[in-house]
Structure formats: C-alpha cells, structure tokens
Amino acid sequence: MELNLKRTLTCIILTVLTTLCTHAQTLCVIDGTPLPDSLLHVTIDEMRSDSAKQIVSHRLGLIPPYAIETIQTFSAEEQAKNITFCKTPRDIVFIRTNSFAELQWVLNGKMIKPRKKLTIIDYKLTPQRIMEALPKGIKPTDIGSVNIITYINDPRQEKHPTIVIKTKTFNRLTNQRSLTEESNE
C-alpha cells in the first residue's frame, strides 16, 4: 500500500514538473525590472497585436496606454544566449515606459521633486522604494499619510500618477486651524 502511494506521488510530481517545463510563461520586463506573472500575464501573440499597449495598461491597472513607449518581443532562444534561467521562458517581452509613468510628488499640497525618480511600476513592485526617493529633509517618521492617485481612464494625457504625502506636523496644523475656525463660528 505504501509503495503504491509513493509511486503515485512520484508520478504526480513528474507530471507537474513536465507540465511546468513545457508550458513556460512569457517573461515580461518593464524598464529593466522583471515582473511576476501575478502582476502581468500576457502572451506573445497579444504583445505582437496592434492593441498591445491597451492590453498591458488594462492588465496592470496602473498606467494608461500612452505611458507605454515601446513593446518589443523576442523568443527566448534569441535572448537566452548569455542568460541562465531557472526555468526558460517561452518568450520575452521588453516594455519601456515614458515619463507619464513617473510618479509626481505632492507634499502637504505642494509639488516637489523627489530625491530620485520613481515610476508607478517601481512602487507597485517594491513600495519601500518610496522611502529611498523621499525628498531631502523628509524622514519616514515625519509621514502622516501617503496616497497614490492613478489616472487610468482620464483622457487628459498630462496626468501622471501622483503620490500625495502629508506630514504629521501638517496634519496637526490643519486640525488646529479647523478647530480655531469652528470656535470662531
């Protein structure tokens, strides 16, 4: 009985491994960063179509189609000459975004420049990068709230994804002003 169970489990494991190897996914790389399949799952045929930018935009849900500069597709054999993969992808898709994917920063209601540029994709993959890009003079302990605003369905192309930060001191000042205004009424 135990021997049959081991044989059955071995057969199941071999079947799963064979399936994984024969059905490798497309590797998507945006601005030099590989994306996990859970974030963007596309096929090479979709990326070769005329609506590739709309497909990427819709599936990511982060950037509008006009924020995608280029999409290039390659077979894994073309690109894998000098690259070693744990599991060789079926195809490789390189996506390059333009400045419309960069986060604009608003601190306490004023536009500011970050210490280093950050895209909405960078934020989605590793939110900790916000701390690295914080403007000079702002410490993580100063932050009261952080909101990310995306303009996916907005027809105005000048709209960038925006990170809105309010500091704790700004929140206290705002609360004190509103209490003073209420008491004056």
Side-chain angles (χ1 to χ4, degrees):
M1 180 75 166
E2 188 176 314
L3 185 60
N4 285 337
L5 183 61
K6 285 182 180 180
R7 282 184 187 163
T8 306
L9 286 173
T10 304
C11 287
I12 290 172
I13 290 171
L14 288 174
T15 305
V16 168
L17 288 175
T18 305
T19 304
L20 287 174
C21 291
T22 58
H23 298 296
Q25 300 295 322
T26 300
L27 172 64
C28 293
V29 179
I30 294 186
D31 296 332
T33 305
L35 293 181
D37 287 339
S38 60
L39 189 57
L40 179 63
H41 178 74
V42 294
T43 65
I44 197 72
D45 292 332
E46 290 173 327
M47 294 299 93
R48 289 183 176 151
S49 73
D50 291 338
S51 58
K53 290 181 180 182
Q54 287 78 12
I55 291 169
V56 171
S57 173
H58 178 71
R59 296 222 178 122
L60 279 177
L62 300 170
I63 56 175
Y66 56 81
I68 299 171
E69 184 92 15
T70 59
I71 297 177
Q72 296 176 310
T73 59
F74 300 96
S75 67
E77 293 85 34
E78 292 175 34
Q79 292 295 312
K81 294 173 188 167
N82 297 323
I83 303 171
T84 304
F85 293 102
C86 293
K87 182 174 94 174
T88 305
R90 183 179 302 158
D91 299 296
I92 302 173
V93 176
F94 290 105
I95 302 170
R96 178 171 290 253
T97 60
N98 57 30
S99 64
F100 289 111
E102 289 177 13
L103 283 169
Q104 287 184 334
W105 292 65
V106 175
L107 177 67
N108 297 332
K110 295 180 183 178
M111 294 285 293
I112 58 167
K113 289 191 178 200
R115 190 172 302 163
K116 65 183 202 177
K117 292 183 180 182
L118 188 69
T119 67
I120 190 72
I121 304 298
D122 294 330
Y123 164 74
K124 184 68 174 178
L125 291 174
T126 52
Q128 298 85 356
R129 287 191 179 172
I130 288 178
M131 299 308 160
E132 298 168 9
L134 280 173
K136 293 179 182 177
I138 303 296
K139 298 174 189 166
T141 55
D142 296 338
I143 296 175
S145 66
V146 176
N147 293 309
I148 304 291
I149 303 170
T150 57
Y151 300 95
I152 304 305
N153 297 320
D154 197 317
R156 299 172 290 177
Q157 290 193 1
E158 69 276 2
K159 290 293 191 178
H160 291 255
T162 306
I163 182 168
V164 180
I165 300 173
K166 290 186 181 172
T167 60
K168 293 176 183 175
T169 55
F170 181 77
N171 287 341
R172 280 190 225 120
L173 290 173
T174 306
N175 288 339
Q176 288 175 353
R177 285 183 193 147
S178 62
L179 290 174
T180 306
E181 290 172 0
E182 287 176 9
S183 64
N184 289 338
E185 291 176 359

